[in-house]
Structures are given as C-alpha cells and as structure tokens.
Amino acid sequence: MEFLMKICLLFLCGLISHFVNIFFQKRNQQCYMLGYECFKAADDRKLDTDACVKVVLRNKNLGLDQYRFLLKTIVSSGLGEETYGPRNVIDGREKFPSENDAHAEMDEIMFSTLDTLFEKTGVSPSEIDILVVDVSLFSPAPSLTSRIINRYKMRDNIKSFSLSGMGCSASMVAIDMVQQLFKTYKNQFAIVVSTESIARHWYCGKEKSMMLSNCLFRNGGCSILLTNKRNLRDRCLLKLKCAVRTNIGYDDEAYGCCIQVEDPQGYQGFLLTKNLTKAAAKAFTGNLKLLLPKILPVWELLRYAISILRKKSTKGQNLSFNLNLKSGVDHFCLHPGGRAVIDGLGKSLGLSEYDLEPTRMALYRFGNTSAGGLWYVLSYMEAKKRLKKGDKVFMVSLGAGFMCNNCVWEVMKDGLEDTRVWEDCIDEYPRKNLVNPFTEKYSWINDECLNFVRLDDQFN
C-alpha cells in the first residue's frame, strides 16, 4: 500500500509539474503590440476627382464603354476625395514606371513609419531581433528587409523574412509568423512592415476586370512593433489572443479569382473575377469554423455546433452563422477592400453601422491600402477613443491565394487615444454623406445625346 501511495504521489507531482511548465511556457509565449504607425502621404499626392479624370484620360486605350464602367465603379467603390496615389502616377508616368519609382515608393512608406515608431516607443533599431516585411508585388534583390537593415544599421544576427504574393491578408500572415517565432525565442523585439507596391503596377489597358484595381488600391502601409517581453506588458497597447489562417488555393476558381496576369495587349495588371465573392465566402466560412470556438463563450459554442449541423444540411456557401459574435468580440476591424466587401462581411456577421463605421471611414479616407488597410481601421477606433481595457478586437483579412487570415487582440490598457494619421481630420468623421463627387460631375457620360460632345471637350 505504501509503495502504491508513493507511485500515486510521484504521478501527481509529475502531472502538476507538467501543467506548471505548460502554464509558464504559455506565459513566455505571449505576443504583445508595443506600437504601430500608419503611413500618410503629402497632400500633393491626393487622387481627387479631377486628378483621377486626368489619369483616366491619359489612357488612350479606353473608349466610351470603359469610361462608363469606370464611372459606375468609382461611384460605388466607397472611396473619397483624399486618398493617395503613387508619385509616378500623379506625375503622369504610370505607363513606363522605373525601378527607382518602386524603391522610392517603398522607402517613403517604410522609413517614415519606422522612424516615427522608433521615436514614439523608445526602442532602438539595434534592439530588434526579428524583422518581417510583406509586400506582394515587389520583391527586389537585395530584399526590402535588407534595405531596412542597411538603413538602420541593425544587428548581423537579426532574423529577417520577406513575404511576397500574399495580397491584402499578408499582414496577418506576418503577425502569425512572429507569434510562432516567439514560441521559440524569448525576450524578443519584432518589427512587421506591411504595405504594397502600386507605382509599378498601375494598369494601363482596357480590360474591365483588370481596371478595378486602379479604382480601389491606394498608397498606404504600416509598421508594427511586437514583443514577448513580459516586463513590458504594462506599456503594450494590445495582446494577441489567437490567430487562424486559411488558404483554399487547392480550389482552381479560388486560386484564379484574384491574380496578376497580362491582358491580350500585353499590359500587366491584377485580374479580379466574379468568382472572388464565392472564394471569399468559402475561405471565410472555413476560417470561422476554427476561430469561433476560440473566442466565443460556452453558451455560444452550443449555438455554433447547431449552425454547423444546419450548414451541412444546406447547399452553397452561406456565411450567416446566426451567432452573437458580440458575446466574445467588442470591435470589428474588417479589411477595407471596397464597399461591396464591407457590406458583405457586415451582413454575414450581423454587424450594425456603428460596428462598420471604422472600416467604412478608413476606406473613404485612405482607400484600399492592401495589407496595411486593417491598421488604418484600428487607428480610427483608437482616435475615436473606442478601445477600453479588456476589449476584444476581431481583425478580418482576405487576400489572393485565396486566403482568409483572422485574429483577435485584447486591449491592454485604458486611455488609448493617439490620433496618428487621423490627427487633422478625425473631428470631421464619421461622414454622413459618402457620395462620390463623380456622380455630380460626370453622370452625363451615360447620356447618349451629350456624352460624345463632352468627351471631346475633355480631351481638348
């Protein structure tokens, strides 16, 4: 009996030790956000109505049918008058961009946001242990990470990664990569730079499905400072609770719905097909099936199980889960990919206009800035003083692949109110009227009697 008791005691001690090790291991594997900075270009880079018309009319490949398509697309895009375009496009050099144009675009975004981030957080570039840069359409040699390392004279043992080809959801991929590295390396500082190269990828052809990108994508980006140092948790803004990545590239339709190609005339651009909505639904549905059990309370998990059973008994990819997501989430930071994207996500998740306001306003003010877009939405929430300690922020990103990469952050302290890129305009938002001026100025293009006369006037 005494021997049996010793065996049981040893087993119990071993079990306790195991759980204690797991507890402390998880404590040391946290991913905290110390700060982030979004990019804001100079005012002379704004693509207002008149600037957009000049760009459109420079494209001699376009005809009346394309003009009408562009008018309809721009009016319904959800973008306003103050989004920013690349310098070479503003200067009229979009048809023949150079390598210098691409590097200048990247340097301005990366270095301006990093300079501000280092200054505000007090962290020196020499202290950075991990560096991840995600830019889908520009992958030079040396890499953009090497360009940053050279600029700031970072350490020679820094762990650097350059991600390309992952589209608008790349920032969440980079964040998840850092989180995984934090599980192996202790007491680390990590930088994530998320942006996109627009300068060399402005479409100059006439294919409607490839002209969409010109109407939606604008200059922007963000640099984020992360750490797993527990002694800095009181300084942190957010803590990463969980992240789930889904890639349905095995599906041919999904793979090809958002892809870089050349048109029949040889113009390179980004093709967005009608299958995009279907692919987004499929990827988003699959992602939520994994993510929701991690963030919802027990009473909602039961309803989740019921929704899955109902899903299996119906055909198609219906995104409506009939769940109260607000039982586990306080704020919704959605990818500002376009008005249709926001409307679709809002409807499927059962969100109110208050929930969608940050995403709509980020799209209206800055446009679709690809991988950097989510951080403009988060910045709006912070500038509007919405974030309180303990709140959960649900980030949703969709991108080429086709991928859906989502995560949930927890707000670590009260008093988050840095206005960042919204400093000079936050009091003007939310805008009640989001009507694009194109409607008033150029609706005549749909008039069969007048359009030919006015088109001639525009060219002359």
Side-chain angles (χ1 to χ4, degrees):
M1 178 65 70
E2 184 177 352
F3 175 75
L4 184 61
M5 289 183 63
K6 287 182 179 180
I7 294 296
C8 291
L9 184 61
L10 287 172
F11 175 77
L12 182 61
C13 289
L15 192 62
I16 294 174
S17 176
H18 174 70
F19 282 110
V20 168
N21 286 335
I22 291 177
F23 173 75
F24 281 105
Q25 185 180 27
K26 288 195 172 184
R27 284 186 65 192
N28 293 326
Q29 291 177 355
Q30 298 291 353
C31 180
Y32 301 103
M33 183 198 298
L34 272 171
Y36 67 100
E37 290 298 326
C38 297
F39 172 73
K40 184 178 180 181
D43 287 345
D44 65 352
R45 298 262 297 282
K46 287 183 178 178
L47 277 173
D48 58 16
T49 302
D50 293 335
C52 287
V53 169
K54 290 179 181 178
V55 175
V56 170
L57 294 180
R58 283 199 299 263
N59 187 347
K60 305 304 181 183
N61 294 305
L62 305 183
L64 180 59
D65 189 41
Q66 284 81 21
Y67 289 136
R68 287 175 173 168
F69 172 77
L70 285 171
L71 175 64
K72 180 181 178 181
T73 303
I74 294 173
V75 167
S76 62
S77 67
L79 275 67
E81 288 275 271
E82 298 184 301
T83 61
Y84 302 99
R87 173 63 64 189
N88 66 308
V89 174
I90 300 296
D91 293 344
R93 295 182 288 102
E94 66 272 12
K95 193 171 182 179
F96 303 104
S98 67
E99 189 83 1
N100 288 337
D101 288 327
H103 273 299
E105 179 186 36
M106 292 295 97
D107 288 351
E108 183 182 23
I109 296 172
M110 296 189 304
F111 299 153
S112 63
T113 55
L114 286 171
D115 287 347
T116 305
L117 187 62
F118 289 135
E119 180 182 358
K120 282 189 175 182
T121 60
V123 175
S124 168
S126 62
E127 297 180 82
I128 302 303
D129 304 286
I130 300 169
L131 174 63
V132 184
V133 176
D134 59 85
V135 178
S136 291
L137 301 178
F138 184 49
S139 183
S143 66
L144 293 174
T145 51
S146 294
R147 202 169 178 86
I148 292 174
I149 292 169
N150 176 261
R151 161 69 181 262
Y152 294 101
K153 308 306 177 188
M154 293 176 167
R155 302 198 317 264
D156 60 0
N157 64 342
I158 189 172
K159 293 171 280 293
S160 61
F161 306 88
S162 295
L163 307 181
S164 65
M166 295 188 176
C168 299
S169 64
S171 191
M172 291 300 97
V173 176
I175 295 292
D176 184 58
M177 172 179 282
V178 169
Q179 178 190 221
Q180 299 302 324
L181 289 169
F182 279 173
K183 294 179 180 180
T184 302
Y185 301 99
K186 298 180 180 179
N187 298 316
Q188 303 282 291
F189 280 121
I191 287 284
V192 169
V193 180
S194 296
T195 184
E196 188 53 275
S197 174
I198 309 295
R200 292 184 63 190
H201 301 280
W202 194 268
Y203 179 60
C204 297
K206 63 178 182 179
E207 299 298 318
K208 293 179 181 178
S209 57
M210 298 175 71
M211 285 160 42
L212 288 170
S213 60
N214 290 356
C215 300
L216 295 172
F217 289 101
R218 296 293 184 265
N219 264 144
C222 184
S223 292
I224 307 107
L225 177 61
L226 305 165
T227 187
N228 59 353
K229 298 185 178 186
R230 284 189 56 82
N231 62 318
L232 296 178
R233 61 177 298 176
D234 292 337
R235 290 177 49 193
C236 294
L237 309 180
L238 305 172
K239 177 174 71 173
L240 187 61
K241 297 292 291 182
C242 62
V244 174
R245 292 164 53 185
T246 303
N247 190 326
I248 59 170
Y250 60 83
D251 185 308
D252 291 340
E253 285 188 351
Y255 176 82
C257 74
C258 183
I259 189 169
Q260 188 179 19
V261 296
E262 283 189 355
D263 70 10
Q265 292 180 295
Y267 291 104
Q268 190 178 83
F270 220 73
L271 175 68
L272 303 176
T273 75
K274 294 180 179 179
N275 292 323
L276 181 67
T277 303
K278 181 180 177 182
K282 184 174 183 178
F284 190 40
T285 300
N287 189 281
L288 288 186
K289 287 179 181 179
L290 297 175
L291 183 66
L292 292 183
K294 299 176 183 289
I295 64 176
L296 294 180
V298 175
W299 60 85
E300 282 297 323
L301 293 180
L302 178 60
R303 296 179 63 189
Y304 175 79
I306 294 174
S307 71
I308 293 297
L309 292 176
R310 288 178 178 174
K311 178 67 179 177
K312 290 181 178 180
S313 65
T314 59
K315 295 181 180 180
Q317 295 293 337
N318 181 8
L319 286 181
S320 179
F321 281 83
N322 193 29
L323 293 172
N324 178 19
L325 293 183
K326 294 179 182 179
S327 63
V329 176
D330 302 287
H331 308 281
F332 297 84
C333 188
L334 310 180
H335 169 56
R339 192 170 74 178
V341 173
I342 299 170
D343 289 345
L345 288 173
K347 182 179 180 180
S348 66
L349 295 175
L351 304 183
S352 67
E353 276 305 311
Y354 178 82
D355 297 322
L356 296 176
E357 178 189 309
T359 306
R360 290 198 193 280
M361 297 306 112
L363 176 68
Y364 185 81
R365 177 62 182 84
F366 295 98
N368 181 347
T369 55
S370 190
L374 289 171
W375 306 103
Y376 290 88
V377 181
L378 181 67
S379 180
Y380 182 90
M381 294 179 182
E382 186 178 359
K384 283 295 185 181
K385 303 178 183 179
R386 290 190 175 198
L387 305 178
K388 309 298 180 185
K389 184 177 181 180
D391 283 357
K392 305 298 190 305
V393 181
F394 181 23
M395 281 190 171
V396 177
S397 67
L398 301 164
F402 193 87
M403 296 190 294
C404 178
N405 302 316
N406 304 334
C407 71
V408 175
W409 299 88
E410 179 182 348
V411 180
M412 293 296 288
K413 59 183 178 182
D414 289 319
L416 299 185
E417 54 187 36
D418 193 333
T419 52
R420 306 181 198 277
V421 291
W422 295 92
E423 182 178 7
D424 64 344
C425 63
I426 191 62
D427 293 336
E428 302 171 12
Y429 288 82
R431 295 283 180 88
K432 300 298 182 182
N433 183 8
L434 299 182
V435 176
N436 193 295
F438 271 89
T439 305
E440 179 182 353
K441 293 184 178 182
Y442 297 98
S443 59
W444 52 262
I445 201 171
N446 292 315
D447 190 324
E448 294 293 343
C449 298
L450 298 177
N451 51 45
F452 291 107
V453 176
R454 298 203 182 188
L455 280 174
D456 289 338
D457 290 342
Q458 290 292 331
F459 280 112
N460 296 326

